[in-house]
Amino acid sequence: MIARRITTAFVAGTAALISVVAISPTPAQAVTTWTLSNTPADVTGAWVHGTWWWGASGRLYVEVNVKDTVANSKNASVSLAAGYSDGGVRREDFFNNDGANTTVTMTYSFAPNVSFINARECVDNASGLATCGNTVRIFG
């Protein structure tokens, strides 16, 4: 009788432990923050910063925030360049056309074979062309 109770308690306890382990969610991927402030990519009038993380699908996600920091009728933007292990390159430009002290956000998804991502801040100049900082690596 005592042996049966111990066996029953052991089986019930083991089943409960297995069910807790089986339904526990996987931990979220760590998020890495980055900023172009105080780097060679930094230009007056823009603040570009964000995060990147690996998704469950194996893709790299990069969130980009572009803030226009000066009331000067010049738009702030970011220029991204992603390099891939197969030699491919992907370029993205993202603009904040909303005016001074506004921030716009975009999330990009990159294939699992992305090797690096470079970025630089830009602002429009008087002729409407962009003036940009130097390229800085934000991933890889």
Side-chain angles (χ1 to χ4, degrees):
M1 180 95 159
I2 292 176
R4 179 190 266 173
R5 286 184 193 168
I6 291 173
T7 303
T8 303
F10 176 76
V11 170
T14 302
L17 178 61
I18 290 171
S19 67
V20 168
V21 171
I23 63 172
S24 295
T26 58
Q29 291 289 325
V31 173
T32 301
T33 60
W34 56 271
T35 183
L36 298 181
S37 291
N38 301 312
T39 71
D42 195 8
V43 295
T44 300
W47 178 33
V48 177
H49 58 100
T51 56
W52 63 259
W53 67 95
W54 288 103
S57 64
R59 297 185 68 83
L60 179 74
Y61 293 89
V62 178
E63 182 183 87
V64 178
N65 304 287
V66 178
K67 182 174 183 177
D68 186 333
T69 61
V70 177
N72 59 3
S73 301
K74 297 178 182 180
N75 296 323
S77 64
V78 63
S79 179
L80 300 174
Y84 291 88
S85 61
D86 62 3
V89 176
R90 173 180 166 190
R91 298 189 190 285
E92 297 284 350
D93 294 313
F94 180 50
F95 299 88
N96 179 345
N97 301 320
D98 294 346
N101 297 315
T102 62
T103 302
V104 294
T105 301
M106 173 73 78
T107 300
Y108 294 95
S109 173
F110 296 91
N113 67 328
V114 65
S115 300
F116 65 87
I117 298 176
N118 293 332
R120 61 186 183 161
E121 293 179 353
C122 301
V123 293
D124 294 343
N125 64 23
S127 63
L129 300 174
T131 298
C132 299
N134 295 317
T135 300
V136 169
R137 187 154 295 181
I138 61 169
F139 167 79

